[in-house]
Amino acid sequence: MNLTSAGPRPKKLRVRRGHTVSLTAKEMDLLEALAIRPGFVKTRHQLMDIAYGDGVHVEDRTIDSHIKRPRRKFRRVDPRFTTIATLYGVGYKFVLPEA
């Protein structure tokens, strides 16, 4: 996946083959948090803080939904999309595709 955009806070990302994927602000925040450090795991708690800030409590499954929706969107463009990996019981990480 090649993320490119114009402007500081895109809602649409251009991905391979010229397709675009629209993301909500929370989905974009989480994707950016994961993509900044590919290969490093972010726990659900860390992602909750990123998406909602300190002091706001949401269920763990809320984060799962925020991850699941962009995955679906990217898989419509590329059925082999595996860039957001789940580490069950731990969290999520951004995995760079092999060239």
Side-chain angles (χ1 to χ4, degrees):
M1 177 174 68
N2 179 15
L3 300 178
T4 60
S5 62
R9 298 287 307 169
K11 291 198 177 189
K12 288 190 177 193
L13 297 175
R14 192 174 30 235
V15 294
R16 252 186 266 189
R17 295 180 283 255
H19 295 279
T20 60
V21 174
S22 295
L23 299 176
T24 67
K26 291 213 185 307
E27 291 167 351
M28 189 65 203
D29 288 343
L30 295 174
L31 183 61
E32 284 177 340
L34 294 169
I36 285 171
R37 297 198 61 200
F40 288 84
V41 178
K42 291 273 189 191
T43 66
R44 281 188 181 110
H45 183 73
Q46 288 170 318
L47 294 172
M48 277 187 255
D49 286 347
I50 290 163
Y52 293 97
D54 289 332
V56 176
H57 177 74
V58 295
E59 297 295 321
D60 288 351
R61 302 301 295 170
T62 302
I63 295 300
D64 296 342
S65 293
H66 284 311
I67 296 293
K68 180 173 60 173
R69 282 191 303 266
R71 273 186 181 150
R72 264 193 228 140
K73 293 174 185 181
F74 285 115
R75 285 184 180 146
R76 281 186 216 131
V77 173
D78 182 359
R80 297 169 294 150
F81 177 82
T82 57
T83 303
I84 302 172
T86 302
L87 283 84
Y88 292 99
V90 180
Y92 298 94
K93 70 178 178 177
F94 192 90
V95 179
L96 292 174
E98 294 183 24

